């Protein structure tokens, strides 16, 4: 019997050549101190291949932007979903990430026969799913999802920067860089900051 603490939980053991529509799922924004965590789900069209799909972190911002538009144009369907900073504080970052992933899958126009998720955890879904460690570098649909999630979240950070320029969200994207931590100490937390994350909590308590 599989332990509940297994590092590789699976709903079903799946074969990569099983028939039916396959959705790739990935997230962006688990580590930042502010903003939502974003997840995307993508079902690619085999008749419209997209060249250059890769882990979003391995691509330049310009290339990600171009692929974002191409994925949206050529995929059979895709969905981008979020879990807010408030939900992160209420649920914890892991559960909020799984919630965003579930929302992304459930928001697809077409129902996949199976779902492949980057990492080692999967959300509760109504279809079979499998977690694939480093899947964003191995499975094109997951690579596509990673690009959608990353670009969407980067755009949210640009909007955050315009609303709260003193924090520099356009540069660090909410991650706990020295510059962000210094701004947090100088200006306190803004509404987008995740109150449950230690650096933010310490500023609020101090």
């Amino acid at each position: 019997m599989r332990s509940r603490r297994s590092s590789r939980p699976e709903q079903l053991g799946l074969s990569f050549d099983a028939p039916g529509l396959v959705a790739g799922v990935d997230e962006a924004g688990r580590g930042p101190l502010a903003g939502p965590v974003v997840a995307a789900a993508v079902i690619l069209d085999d008749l419209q291949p997209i060249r250059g799909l890769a882990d979003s972190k391995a691509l330049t911002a310009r290339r990600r932007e171009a692929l974002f538009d191409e994925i949206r144009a050529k995929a059979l369907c895709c969905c981008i979903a979020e879990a807010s900073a408030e939900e992160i504080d209420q649920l914890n970052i892991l559960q909020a990430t799984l919630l965003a992933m579930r929302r992304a899958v459930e928001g697809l126009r077409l129902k996949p026969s199976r779902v492949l998720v980057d990492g080692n955890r999967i959300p509760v879904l109504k279809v079979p799913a499998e977690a694939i460690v480093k899947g964003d570098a191995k499975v094109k649909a997951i690579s596509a999802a990673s690009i959608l999630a990353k670009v969407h979240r980067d755009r949210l950070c640009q909007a955050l920067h315009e609303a709260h320029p003193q924090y520099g969200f356009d540069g660090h994207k909410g991650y706990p860089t020295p510059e962000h931590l210094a701004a947090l100490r100088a200006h306190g937390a803004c509404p987008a900051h995740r109150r449950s994350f230690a650096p933010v909590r310490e500023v609020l308590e101090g």
Side-chain angles (χ1 to χ4, degrees), residues 50 101 114 130 164 192 197:
I50 300 171
M101 287 180 170
R114 60 192 175 119
E130 181 179 4
H164 307 283
F197 278 43

Side-chain angles (χ1 to χ4, degrees), residues 67-153:
L67 284 169
F68 181 95
D69 292 336
E70 188 172 1
I71 293 164
R72 294 291 298 267
K74 291 183 176 180
L76 286 178
C77 61
C78 56
C79 179
I80 301 171
E82 303 173 6
S84 68
E86 292 79 10
E87 288 173 319
I88 292 168
D89 291 337
Q90 292 167 6
L91 300 173
N92 75 45
I93 185 59
L94 172 60
Q95 294 305 317
T97 300
L98 296 175
L99 173 62
M101 287 180 170
R102 177 165 61 83
R103 287 172 173 166
V105 173
E106 292 178 349
L108 290 170
R109 178 176 57 84
L110 302 173
K111 183 177 180 179
S113 62
R114 60 192 175 119
V115 174
L116 304 178
V117 181
D118 181 60
N120 59 11
R121 300 294 294 270
I122 52 176
V124 175
L125 299 170
K126 296 179 181 178
V127 294
E130 181 179 4
I132 302 177
V133 175
K134 297 184 179 179
D136 49 7
K138 299 175 183 177
V139 180
K140 289 184 178 180
I142 298 179
S143 299
S146 77
I147 292 165
L148 293 191
K150 171 65 174 168
V151 171
H152 181 82
R153 193 172 192 287

